Amino acid sequence: MGKIQIHGERRLNNEKDSDSRHGGSDGDGMGAPTAEKVKRSYHASSKLYGRAEYFSIRNDANAYLVYFQWIKPTAKSPGRVVVGLPEPVFWQGFVSRDFTRLTVNGISSVELEPKSIETFSRDGIAGVDALYNFDGIRMTLRFYMTEQSPMLFMEWRKDPASEGTGERAELAFSVYPSYSVPNGGKRDERYQREIQTPARTIPSPKNTAWVKLAPADASFIMYDRTFEPSNTPKAQGPCFLAADWKGILSGRVWFGKIYVMDFRFTLDPKADCWRFGLWENKKPVNNQEFMDYKKNHEAFFQMPPR
């Protein structure tokens, strides 16, 4: 079985890689993560899309592109600003456009325009902060990477000086594990979506349905038992989500014999921070290969300390 490689260049376990275009290095020589604003042109041809801002966040183990897309208002819908994750994987994994949204007191983050979006680099982490104001509740959406983990970490951090009071909050993620059958998103019996958590394996419901989650489900390997890179040329393989349940009241996931998995986390509105971690890989990887790798390298897939 081959070793997992990060975006085709670096081996995740930091062993020297003679095939690497960058020469490779051991774990002690890993460089600090970086974050910078970059130029891209996703969706540039659409008349519905306006301004877009792209941010590259990377370390020696992986590289992500976070982007904020302004969508123009129409006669039927107001303008929106959505958050996407088009790299390292565009078509699969975490959705390239509008993959996550926070709703506070009935106000969705996509209805708001960020007050500012800035990169930062300090104390061994690098990322981007986007400031939002939910009717008096100021919150920062932070994406960042650490020095050695291949994960992209995501936090919503509350400004303690905010005048508003949170009464209810919910966070959503949309994920397309491994492969999407080109049938317009309709139900397809070939899908065998499945989720593995530290506590259990959650098989695909016979009919698409909500499945309740518990704190023991601290992380989620999302994959398809039918569509793997070894048997489907365009399949990408698993993706991974970690949740810090401190500040989460409950969770559920909607999935079945359909392309998308939708996660919903009901959050404690009194918490000062909600934390999650994401992983996807540019180079396709089979289900068992990733599961074995993660089992042997758990330290790379843990949430950082608060």
Side-chain angles (χ1 to χ4, degrees):
M1 180 180 65
K3 295 176 181 177
I4 295 177
Q5 291 180 307
I6 292 302
H7 53 81
E9 296 178 357
R10 288 294 309 273
R11 297 190 189 278
L12 185 59
N13 61 1
N14 303 322
E15 293 175 353
K16 290 185 178 180
D17 181 1
S18 59
D19 296 328
S20 172
R21 288 181 291 169
H22 299 304
S25 64
D26 58 28
D28 294 333
M30 293 194 72
T34 62
E36 61 178 338
K37 189 174 182 179
V38 296
K39 292 183 178 181
R40 293 290 194 278
S41 58
Y42 293 112
H43 308 297
S45 62
S46 175
K47 294 181 180 180
L48 289 177
Y49 298 115
R51 166 185 164 198
E53 296 193 17
Y54 301 86
F55 298 88
S56 172
I57 306 173
R58 61 174 59 231
N59 61 15
D60 287 344
N62 212 346
Y64 295 88
L65 184 73
V66 175
Y67 101 113
F68 297 81
Q69 177 67 67
W70 275 250
I71 300 178
K72 299 176 182 179
T74 68
K76 296 183 178 180
S77 62
R80 294 176 291 150
V81 181
V82 299
V83 181
L85 195 67
E87 296 176 16
V89 181
F90 186 80
W91 292 112
Q92 311 302 335
F94 294 93
V95 180
S96 61
R97 178 171 53 86
D98 198 11
F99 86 96
T100 186
R101 57 179 67 190
L102 174 68
T103 303
V104 176
N105 292 350
I107 303 171
S108 173
S109 56
V110 302
E111 301 169 5
L112 304 174
E113 183 173 6
K115 301 299 182 182
S116 63
I117 308 176
E118 300 178 349
T119 59
F120 68 90
S121 178
R122 60 179 178 271
D123 301 326
I125 67 173
V128 60
D129 282 344
L131 177 63
Y132 289 78
N133 190 326
F134 293 82
D135 194 22
I137 303 174
R138 292 192 299 274
M139 301 204 67
T140 296
L141 171 58
R142 169 171 291 181
F143 291 98
Y144 69 96
M145 295 188 77
T146 61
E147 289 188 1
Q148 296 201 24
S149 175
M151 296 178 64
L152 177 70
F153 298 103
M154 187 190 99
E155 299 178 353
W156 278 97
R157 307 170 66 91
K158 189 182 302 181
D159 182 348
S162 291
E163 297 177 358
T165 301
E167 297 179 358
R168 60 190 186 280
E170 181 181 76
L171 186 65
F173 291 98
S174 294
V175 190
Y176 301 168
S178 193
Y179 181 73
S180 299
V181 178
N183 66 354
K186 298 178 182 178
R187 177 183 171 89
D188 193 304
E189 294 293 337
R190 290 172 292 175
Y191 286 124
Q192 292 190 65
R193 300 308 207 198
E194 199 164 90
I195 301 173
Q196 186 180 100
T197 82
R200 56 179 170 156
T201 297
I202 308 174
S204 178
K206 184 176 180 180
N207 296 306
T208 304
W210 286 104
V211 176
K212 291 183 179 180
L213 305 173
D217 302 313
S219 63
F220 311 88
I221 303 174
M222 299 157 283
Y223 55 96
D224 194 288
R225 293 176 57 194
T226 298
F227 302 113
E228 293 196 64
S230 59
N231 59 36
T232 306
K234 293 185 179 181
Q236 190 65 30
C239 48
F240 178 78
L241 172 67
D244 181 349
W245 279 80
K246 185 177 181 180
I248 298 176
L249 299 178
S250 64
R252 55 183 178 152
V253 57
W254 184 86
F255 77 113
K257 297 186 183 300
I258 195 168
Y259 67 107
V260 68
M261 288 184 179
D262 277 328
F263 286 82
R264 297 288 186 274
F265 293 96
T266 300
L267 308 172
D268 180 355
K270 297 179 181 179
D272 58 1
C273 183
W274 303 304
R275 308 195 314 151
F276 296 83
L278 324 171
W279 175 88
E280 59 183 31
N281 200 43
K282 183 175 182 179
K283 182 179 176 64
V285 56
N286 288 318
N287 299 337
Q288 195 59 52
E289 183 181 4
F290 174 70
M291 292 175 190
D292 291 343
Y293 191 90
K294 178 181 175 296
K295 182 178 179 180
N296 293 325
H297 300 84
E298 285 289 350
F300 288 117
F301 296 93
Q302 300 297 314
M303 295 293 296
R306 283 179 173 266

